[in-house]
Amino acid sequence: MNRPVLLVIAHGSRDPRHAATVHALVRRVRAARPGLRVETGFLDFNAPSVPQVLDRLAGEGVRDVVALPLLLTRAFHAKADIPAVLHRAPARLNIRLAEVLGPSPLLLDTLERRLYEAGLDPADKSSTGLVLASAGSTDPEAIAVIAEIARELRHTGWCAVRPAFASAALPRTEDAVRELRAMGVRRVAVAPYVVAPGFLPDRIARGAARADVLADVLGAAPELARLLLLRYDEARMRANVPALSA
């Protein structure tokens, strides 16, 4: 039986680092599962667009697709933009929409990987305050998820954890860093909870100017590649859920 094509749907950005990071992650996914066809489509700014990829797949005779949003929370893009694009896909395609990536323990593993790569010693965790810095959203569900992740992280050994947002919600990264300093926290680390570089991750980095450690974005980490395949498998096995139709 042929496996469905995995279509990774990324946001897109004018910043060339964004697409480069997405493509690096997709290459890691392909390497982790030889024989699985993995395609990439962007919602904006970059090519190919999601409709272009879907049209090409249909023209090649592909029937089954798992569309996987490269998103960490269920906000507007996951709830509105992506379903709208998929519903306009060629009628011959049977498309299953996978869940967004978060929340997941694999994302937290990736977060810690990036912090340790940035120079934080695991032994310093108990004396370090962590700022969990996400892109931000006007969606209350997405904001609540980030707050819950911050609460979960607090129980993994950090002396304090504060959520922060680059846009649409407060506090900003610099405000969270300032609050931890005011509490007397000995060391402050900022962990960008974003997949790829771009305008908002750069804003997070500027807000981390007074922190001791700034981690890189999640990027093409092996844990993130495993998570993409996990979401693909979950969607593929949901045989009782109707596929999206055009």
Side-chain angles (χ1 to χ4, degrees), residues 4-8 37-40 50-66 90 92-93 95:
V5 172
L6 170 56
L7 171 57
V8 177
R37 181 173 178 180
V38 187
E39 298 285 344
T40 308
V50 176
Q52 287 172 334
V53 177
L54 292 172
D55 287 345
R56 174 162 51 83
L57 292 175
E60 294 174 8
V62 170
R63 292 284 301 171
D64 297 309
V65 176
V66 169
R92 67 168 289 114
L93 294 177
I95 303 175

PDB file of all heavy atoms in Angstrom, residues 4-8 37-40 50-66 90 92-93 95:
ATOM      1  N   PRO A   4       0.682   7.860   2.118  1.00  0.00           N
ATOM      2  CA  PRO A   4       0.322   9.216   1.686  1.00  0.00           C
ATOM      3  C   PRO A   4       1.549  10.106   1.629  1.00  0.00           C
ATOM      4  O   PRO A   4       2.500   9.943   2.403  1.00  0.00           O
ATOM      5  CB  PRO A   4      -0.653   9.689   2.777  1.00  0.00           C
ATOM      6  CG  PRO A   4      -1.135   8.446   3.442  1.00  0.00           C
ATOM      7  CD  PRO A   4      -0.027   7.460   3.349  1.00  0.00           C
ATOM      8  N   VAL A   5       1.517  11.042   0.722  1.00  0.00           N
ATOM      9  CA  VAL A   5       2.561  12.065   0.665  1.00  0.00           C
ATOM     10  C   VAL A   5       2.426  12.961   1.894  1.00  0.00           C
ATOM     11  O   VAL A   5       1.309  13.325   2.295  1.00  0.00           O
ATOM     12  CB  VAL A   5       2.428  12.898  -0.623  1.00  0.00           C
ATOM     13  CG1 VAL A   5       3.373  14.096  -0.603  1.00  0.00           C
ATOM     14  CG2 VAL A   5       2.688  12.030  -1.851  1.00  0.00           C
ATOM     15  N   LEU A   6       3.538  13.306   2.493  1.00  0.00           N
ATOM     16  CA  LEU A   6       3.551  14.260   3.597  1.00  0.00           C
ATOM     17  C   LEU A   6       3.810  15.652   3.031  1.00  0.00           C
ATOM     18  O   LEU A   6       4.850  15.901   2.421  1.00  0.00           O
ATOM     19  CB  LEU A   6       4.634  13.898   4.615  1.00  0.00           C
ATOM     20  CG  LEU A   6       4.940  14.936   5.708  1.00  0.00           C
ATOM     21  CD1 LEU A   6       3.693  15.303   6.495  1.00  0.00           C
ATOM     22  CD2 LEU A   6       6.033  14.429   6.638  1.00  0.00           C
ATOM     23  N   LEU A   7       2.846  16.534   3.219  1.00  0.00           N
ATOM     24  CA  LEU A   7       2.994  17.934   2.807  1.00  0.00           C
ATOM     25  C   LEU A   7       3.180  18.792   4.045  1.00  0.00           C
ATOM     26  O   LEU A   7       2.250  18.969   4.832  1.00  0.00           O
ATOM     27  CB  LEU A   7       1.769  18.396   2.015  1.00  0.00           C
ATOM     28  CG  LEU A   7       1.704  19.901   1.705  1.00  0.00           C
ATOM     29  CD1 LEU A   7       2.933  20.368   0.937  1.00  0.00           C
ATOM     30  CD2 LEU A   7       0.420  20.240   0.962  1.00  0.00           C
ATOM     31  N   VAL A   8       4.389  19.298   4.239  1.00  0.00           N
ATOM     32  CA  VAL A   8       4.686  20.189   5.359  1.00  0.00           C
ATOM     33  C   VAL A   8       4.304  21.609   4.941  1.00  0.00           C
ATOM     34  O   VAL A   8       4.795  22.117   3.924  1.00  0.00           O
ATOM     35  CB  VAL A   8       6.179  20.118   5.730  1.00  0.00           C
ATOM     36  CG1 VAL A   8       6.485  21.110   6.852  1.00  0.00           C
ATOM     37  CG2 VAL A   8       6.555  18.705   6.148  1.00  0.00           C
ATOM     38  N   ARG A  37       7.631  10.186   0.674  1.00  0.00           N
ATOM     39  CA  ARG A  37       7.710  11.418  -0.113  1.00  0.00           C
ATOM     40  C   ARG A  37       7.275  12.590   0.753  1.00  0.00           C
ATOM     41  O   ARG A  37       6.172  12.600   1.301  1.00  0.00           O
ATOM     42  CB  ARG A  37       6.828  11.328  -1.351  1.00  0.00           C
ATOM     43  CG  ARG A  37       6.908  12.581  -2.224  1.00  0.00           C
ATOM     44  CD  ARG A  37       6.182  12.426  -3.524  1.00  0.00           C
ATOM     45  NE  ARG A  37       6.222  13.649  -4.324  1.00  0.00           N
ATOM     46  CZ  ARG A  37       5.665  13.782  -5.523  1.00  0.00           C
ATOM     47  NH1 ARG A  37       5.042  12.758  -6.080  1.00  0.00           N
ATOM     48  NH2 ARG A  37       5.752  14.934  -6.159  1.00  0.00           N
ATOM     49  N   VAL A  38       8.147  13.567   0.888  1.00  0.00           N
ATOM     50  CA  VAL A  38       7.872  14.743   1.716  1.00  0.00           C
ATOM     51  C   VAL A  38       7.989  15.985   0.847  1.00  0.00           C
ATOM     52  O   VAL A  38       9.025  16.215   0.216  1.00  0.00           O
ATOM     53  CB  VAL A  38       8.835  14.844   2.916  1.00  0.00           C
ATOM     54  CG1 VAL A  38       8.412  15.986   3.838  1.00  0.00           C
ATOM     55  CG2 VAL A  38       8.913  13.529   3.672  1.00  0.00           C
ATOM     56  N   GLU A  39       6.930  16.781   0.802  1.00  0.00           N
ATOM     57  CA  GLU A  39       6.905  18.027   0.039  1.00  0.00           C
ATOM     58  C   GLU A  39       6.740  19.202   1.010  1.00  0.00           C
ATOM     59  O   GLU A  39       6.265  19.027   2.132  1.00  0.00           O
ATOM     60  CB  GLU A  39       5.746  18.026  -0.959  1.00  0.00           C
ATOM     61  CG  GLU A  39       5.831  16.932  -2.006  1.00  0.00           C
ATOM     62  CD  GLU A  39       6.875  17.215  -3.071  1.00  0.00           C
ATOM     63  OE1 GLU A  39       7.318  18.381  -3.162  1.00  0.00           O
ATOM     64  OE2 GLU A  39       7.229  16.286  -3.824  1.00  0.00           O
ATOM     65  N   THR A  40       7.107  20.378   0.537  1.00  0.00           N
ATOM     66  CA  THR A  40       6.994  21.595   1.343  1.00  0.00           C
ATOM     67  C   THR A  40       6.206  22.641   0.574  1.00  0.00           C
ATOM     68  O   THR A  40       6.474  22.889  -0.605  1.00  0.00           O
ATOM     69  CB  THR A  40       8.383  22.179   1.668  1.00  0.00           C
ATOM     70  OG1 THR A  40       9.207  21.156   2.239  1.00  0.00           O
ATOM     71  CG2 THR A  40       8.262  23.336   2.652  1.00  0.00           C
ATOM     72  N   VAL A  50       1.275  26.471  -1.217  1.00  0.00           N
ATOM     73  CA  VAL A  50       0.531  25.225  -0.950  1.00  0.00           C
ATOM     74  C   VAL A  50      -0.336  24.843  -2.151  1.00  0.00           C
ATOM     75  O   VAL A  50      -0.321  23.680  -2.578  1.00  0.00           O
ATOM     76  CB  VAL A  50      -0.306  25.359   0.342  1.00  0.00           C
ATOM     77  CG1 VAL A  50      -1.161  24.109   0.557  1.00  0.00           C
ATOM     78  CG2 VAL A  50       0.609  25.592   1.544  1.00  0.00           C
ATOM     79  N   PRO A  51      -1.115  25.768  -2.757  1.00  0.00           N
ATOM     80  CA  PRO A  51      -1.904  25.378  -3.939  1.00  0.00           C
ATOM     81  C   PRO A  51      -1.043  24.859  -5.079  1.00  0.00           C
ATOM     82  O   PRO A  51      -1.443  23.922  -5.788  1.00  0.00           O
ATOM     83  CB  PRO A  51      -2.629  26.673  -4.323  1.00  0.00           C
ATOM     84  CG  PRO A  51      -2.738  27.428  -3.043  1.00  0.00           C
ATOM     85  CD  PRO A  51      -1.459  27.144  -2.320  1.00  0.00           C
ATOM     86  N   GLN A  52       0.138  25.438  -5.280  1.00  0.00           N
ATOM     87  CA  GLN A  52       1.016  24.965  -6.350  1.00  0.00           C
ATOM     88  C   GLN A  52       1.442  23.519  -6.110  1.00  0.00           C
ATOM     89  O   GLN A  52       1.455  22.699  -7.042  1.00  0.00           O
ATOM     90  CB  GLN A  52       2.247  25.863  -6.455  1.00  0.00           C
ATOM     91  CG  GLN A  52       1.979  27.222  -7.066  1.00  0.00           C
ATOM     92  CD  GLN A  52       3.176  28.156  -6.981  1.00  0.00           C
ATOM     93  OE1 GLN A  52       4.027  28.026  -6.095  1.00  0.00           O
ATOM     94  NE2 GLN A  52       3.240  29.121  -7.896  1.00  0.00           N
ATOM     95  N   VAL A  53       1.781  23.187  -4.888  1.00  0.00           N
ATOM     96  CA  VAL A  53       2.193  21.821  -4.579  1.00  0.00           C
ATOM     97  C   VAL A  53       1.019  20.859  -4.754  1.00  0.00           C
ATOM     98  O   VAL A  53       1.171  19.774  -5.342  1.00  0.00           O
ATOM     99  CB  VAL A  53       2.756  21.723  -3.148  1.00  0.00           C
ATOM    100  CG1 VAL A  53       3.118  20.282  -2.816  1.00  0.00           C
ATOM    101  CG2 VAL A  53       3.977  22.618  -2.987  1.00  0.00           C
ATOM    102  N   LEU A  54      -0.155  21.246  -4.279  1.00  0.00           N
ATOM    103  CA  LEU A  54      -1.328  20.369  -4.397  1.00  0.00           C
ATOM    104  C   LEU A  54      -1.689  20.131  -5.861  1.00  0.00           C
ATOM    105  O   LEU A  54      -2.020  19.006  -6.251  1.00  0.00           O
ATOM    106  CB  LEU A  54      -2.503  20.984  -3.638  1.00  0.00           C
ATOM    107  CG  LEU A  54      -2.351  21.039  -2.113  1.00  0.00           C
ATOM    108  CD1 LEU A  54      -3.493  21.835  -1.500  1.00  0.00           C
ATOM    109  CD2 LEU A  54      -2.287  19.637  -1.507  1.00  0.00           C
ATOM    110  N   ASP A  55      -1.630  21.175  -6.668  1.00  0.00           N
ATOM    111  CA  ASP A  55      -1.931  21.011  -8.101  1.00  0.00           C
ATOM    112  C   ASP A  55      -0.928  20.072  -8.760  1.00  0.00           C
ATOM    113  O   ASP A  55      -1.300  19.232  -9.597  1.00  0.00           O
ATOM    114  CB  ASP A  55      -1.909  22.371  -8.798  1.00  0.00           C
ATOM    115  CG  ASP A  55      -3.112  23.241  -8.449  1.00  0.00           C
ATOM    116  OD1 ASP A  55      -4.106  22.700  -7.905  1.00  0.00           O
ATOM    117  OD2 ASP A  55      -3.063  24.465  -8.710  1.00  0.00           O
ATOM    118  N   ARG A  56       0.341  20.208  -8.389  1.00  0.00           N
ATOM    119  CA  ARG A  56       1.366  19.343  -8.969  1.00  0.00           C
ATOM    120  C   ARG A  56       1.158  17.891  -8.563  1.00  0.00           C
ATOM    121  O   ARG A  56       1.264  16.980  -9.402  1.00  0.00           O
ATOM    122  CB  ARG A  56       2.752  19.831  -8.554  1.00  0.00           C
ATOM    123  CG  ARG A  56       3.886  18.916  -8.986  1.00  0.00           C
ATOM    124  CD  ARG A  56       5.227  19.626  -8.943  1.00  0.00           C
ATOM    125  NE  ARG A  56       5.476  20.287  -7.675  1.00  0.00           N
ATOM    126  CZ  ARG A  56       5.950  19.677  -6.589  1.00  0.00           C
ATOM    127  NH1 ARG A  56       6.188  18.369  -6.603  1.00  0.00           N
ATOM    128  NH2 ARG A  56       6.180  20.374  -5.486  1.00  0.00           N
ATOM    129  N   LEU A  57       0.846  17.669  -7.297  1.00  0.00           N
ATOM    130  CA  LEU A  57       0.607  16.305  -6.832  1.00  0.00           C
ATOM    131  C   LEU A  57      -0.578  15.673  -7.552  1.00  0.00           C
ATOM    132  O   LEU A  57      -0.526  14.513  -7.978  1.00  0.00           O
ATOM    133  CB  LEU A  57       0.375  16.299  -5.316  1.00  0.00           C
ATOM    134  CG  LEU A  57       1.595  16.654  -4.450  1.00  0.00           C
ATOM    135  CD1 LEU A  57       1.180  16.735  -2.980  1.00  0.00           C
ATOM    136  CD2 LEU A  57       2.710  15.634  -4.632  1.00  0.00           C
ATOM    137  N   ALA A  58      -1.653  16.434  -7.678  1.00  0.00           N
ATOM    138  CA  ALA A  58      -2.832  15.911  -8.379  1.00  0.00           C
ATOM    139  C   ALA A  58      -2.494  15.593  -9.833  1.00  0.00           C
ATOM    140  O   ALA A  58      -2.932  14.572 -10.378  1.00  0.00           O
ATOM    141  CB  ALA A  58      -3.973  16.918  -8.304  1.00  0.00           C
ATOM    142  N   GLY A  59      -1.687  16.472 -10.469  1.00  0.00           N
ATOM    143  CA  GLY A  59      -1.302  16.241 -11.854  1.00  0.00           C
ATOM    144  C   GLY A  59      -0.440  15.015 -12.033  1.00  0.00           C
ATOM    145  O   GLY A  59      -0.420  14.409 -13.116  1.00  0.00           O
ATOM    146  N   GLU A  60       0.264  14.614 -10.984  1.00  0.00           N
ATOM    147  CA  GLU A  60       1.106  13.420 -11.035  1.00  0.00           C
ATOM    148  C   GLU A  60       0.341  12.147 -10.709  1.00  0.00           C
ATOM    149  O   GLU A  60       0.901  11.054 -10.748  1.00  0.00           O
ATOM    150  CB  GLU A  60       2.281  13.569 -10.056  1.00  0.00           C
ATOM    151  CG  GLU A  60       3.254  14.668 -10.426  1.00  0.00           C
ATOM    152  CD  GLU A  60       4.317  14.863  -9.357  1.00  0.00           C
ATOM    153  OE1 GLU A  60       4.381  14.039  -8.421  1.00  0.00           O
ATOM    154  OE2 GLU A  60       5.089  15.838  -9.461  1.00  0.00           O
ATOM    155  N   GLY A  61      -0.926  12.305 -10.366  1.00  0.00           N
ATOM    156  CA  GLY A  61      -1.731  11.131 -10.048  1.00  0.00           C
ATOM    157  C   GLY A  61      -1.733  10.730  -8.589  1.00  0.00           C
ATOM    158  O   GLY A  61      -2.266   9.662  -8.240  1.00  0.00           O
ATOM    159  N   VAL A  62      -1.163  11.562  -7.734  1.00  0.00           N
ATOM    160  CA  VAL A  62      -1.202  11.277  -6.288  1.00  0.00           C
ATOM    161  C   VAL A  62      -2.641  11.330  -5.805  1.00  0.00           C
ATOM    162  O   VAL A  62      -3.428  12.174  -6.236  1.00  0.00           O
ATOM    163  CB  VAL A  62      -0.332  12.301  -5.521  1.00  0.00           C
ATOM    164  CG1 VAL A  62      -0.543  12.178  -4.017  1.00  0.00           C
ATOM    165  CG2 VAL A  62       1.129  12.117  -5.884  1.00  0.00           C
ATOM    166  N   ARG A  63      -2.975  10.412  -4.900  1.00  0.00           N
ATOM    167  CA  ARG A  63      -4.329  10.386  -4.355  1.00  0.00           C
ATOM    168  C   ARG A  63      -4.393  10.843  -2.899  1.00  0.00           C
ATOM    169  O   ARG A  63      -5.302  11.565  -2.511  1.00  0.00           O
ATOM    170  CB  ARG A  63      -4.896   8.950  -4.438  1.00  0.00           C
ATOM    171  CG  ARG A  63      -5.165   8.467  -5.842  1.00  0.00           C
ATOM    172  CD  ARG A  63      -6.420   9.065  -6.416  1.00  0.00           C
ATOM    173  NE  ARG A  63      -7.608   8.746  -5.623  1.00  0.00           N
ATOM    174  CZ  ARG A  63      -8.805   9.286  -5.814  1.00  0.00           C
ATOM    175  NH1 ARG A  63      -8.959  10.206  -6.754  1.00  0.00           N
ATOM    176  NH2 ARG A  63      -9.836   8.943  -5.069  1.00  0.00           N
ATOM    177  N   ASP A  64      -3.439  10.402  -2.085  1.00  0.00           N
ATOM    178  CA  ASP A  64      -3.528  10.604  -0.632  1.00  0.00           C
ATOM    179  C   ASP A  64      -2.416  11.527  -0.127  1.00  0.00           C
ATOM    180  O   ASP A  64      -1.236  11.329  -0.448  1.00  0.00           O
ATOM    181  CB  ASP A  64      -3.450   9.266   0.094  1.00  0.00           C
ATOM    182  CG  ASP A  64      -4.626   8.361  -0.260  1.00  0.00           C
ATOM    183  OD1 ASP A  64      -5.770   8.837  -0.164  1.00  0.00           O
ATOM    184  OD2 ASP A  64      -4.386   7.204  -0.650  1.00  0.00           O
ATOM    185  N   VAL A  65      -2.819  12.487   0.678  1.00  0.00           N
ATOM    186  CA  VAL A  65      -1.886  13.482   1.223  1.00  0.00           C
ATOM    187  C   VAL A  65      -2.192  13.688   2.701  1.00  0.00           C
ATOM    188  O   VAL A  65      -3.356  13.784   3.097  1.00  0.00           O
ATOM    189  CB  VAL A  65      -2.011  14.833   0.482  1.00  0.00           C
ATOM    190  CG1 VAL A  65      -1.118  15.895   1.118  1.00  0.00           C
ATOM    191  CG2 VAL A  65      -1.688  14.675  -1.004  1.00  0.00           C
ATOM    192  N   VAL A  66      -1.146  13.766   3.505  1.00  0.00           N
ATOM    193  CA  VAL A  66      -1.271  14.245   4.884  1.00  0.00           C
ATOM    194  C   VAL A  66      -0.665  15.639   4.925  1.00  0.00           C
ATOM    195  O   VAL A  66       0.523  15.819   4.639  1.00  0.00           O
ATOM    196  CB  VAL A  66      -0.560  13.323   5.886  1.00  0.00           C
ATOM    197  CG1 VAL A  66      -0.480  13.999   7.261  1.00  0.00           C
ATOM    198  CG2 VAL A  66      -1.284  11.987   6.003  1.00  0.00           C
ATOM    199  N   PRO A  90      -7.425  20.267  -5.523  1.00  0.00           N
ATOM    200  CA  PRO A  90      -8.058  19.445  -6.558  1.00  0.00           C
ATOM    201  C   PRO A  90      -8.884  18.315  -5.953  1.00  0.00           C
ATOM    202  O   PRO A  90      -8.483  17.683  -4.968  1.00  0.00           O
ATOM    203  CB  PRO A  90      -6.868  18.903  -7.344  1.00  0.00           C
ATOM    204  CG  PRO A  90      -5.804  19.950  -7.163  1.00  0.00           C
ATOM    205  CD  PRO A  90      -5.985  20.455  -5.767  1.00  0.00           C
ATOM    206  N   ARG A  92      -9.488  15.326  -6.752  1.00  0.00           N
ATOM    207  CA  ARG A  92      -8.984  13.959  -6.752  1.00  0.00           C
ATOM    208  C   ARG A  92      -8.140  13.652  -5.510  1.00  0.00           C
ATOM    209  O   ARG A  92      -7.870  12.488  -5.209  1.00  0.00           O
ATOM    210  CB  ARG A  92      -8.160  13.665  -8.011  1.00  0.00           C
ATOM    211  CG  ARG A  92      -6.851  14.420  -8.112  1.00  0.00           C
ATOM    212  CD  ARG A  92      -5.953  13.867  -9.238  1.00  0.00           C
ATOM    213  NE  ARG A  92      -5.419  12.561  -8.899  1.00  0.00           N
ATOM    214  CZ  ARG A  92      -5.714  11.430  -9.538  1.00  0.00           C
ATOM    215  NH1 ARG A  92      -6.567  11.430 -10.543  1.00  0.00           N
ATOM    216  NH2 ARG A  92      -5.171  10.301  -9.157  1.00  0.00           N
ATOM    217  N   LEU A  93      -7.715  14.675  -4.798  1.00  0.00           N
ATOM    218  CA  LEU A  93      -6.855  14.467  -3.632  1.00  0.00           C
ATOM    219  C   LEU A  93      -7.672  14.174  -2.385  1.00  0.00           C
ATOM    220  O   LEU A  93      -8.623  14.884  -2.069  1.00  0.00           O
ATOM    221  CB  LEU A  93      -5.981  15.703  -3.382  1.00  0.00           C
ATOM    222  CG  LEU A  93      -4.928  16.035  -4.439  1.00  0.00           C
ATOM    223  CD1 LEU A  93      -4.215  17.340  -4.059  1.00  0.00           C
ATOM    224  CD2 LEU A  93      -3.919  14.905  -4.592  1.00  0.00           C
ATOM    225  N   ILE A  95      -7.176  14.434   1.399  1.00  0.00           N
ATOM    226  CA  ILE A  95      -6.230  15.126   2.273  1.00  0.00           C
ATOM    227  C   ILE A  95      -6.650  14.965   3.728  1.00  0.00           C
ATOM    228  O   ILE A  95      -7.780  15.266   4.100  1.00  0.00           O
ATOM    229  CB  ILE A  95      -6.147  16.632   1.931  1.00  0.00           C
ATOM    230  CG1 ILE A  95      -5.767  16.820   0.457  1.00  0.00           C
ATOM    231  CG2 ILE A  95      -5.130  17.325   2.834  1.00  0.00           C
ATOM    232  CD1 ILE A  95      -5.775  18.269   0.015  1.00  0.00           C
TER     233      ILE A  95
END
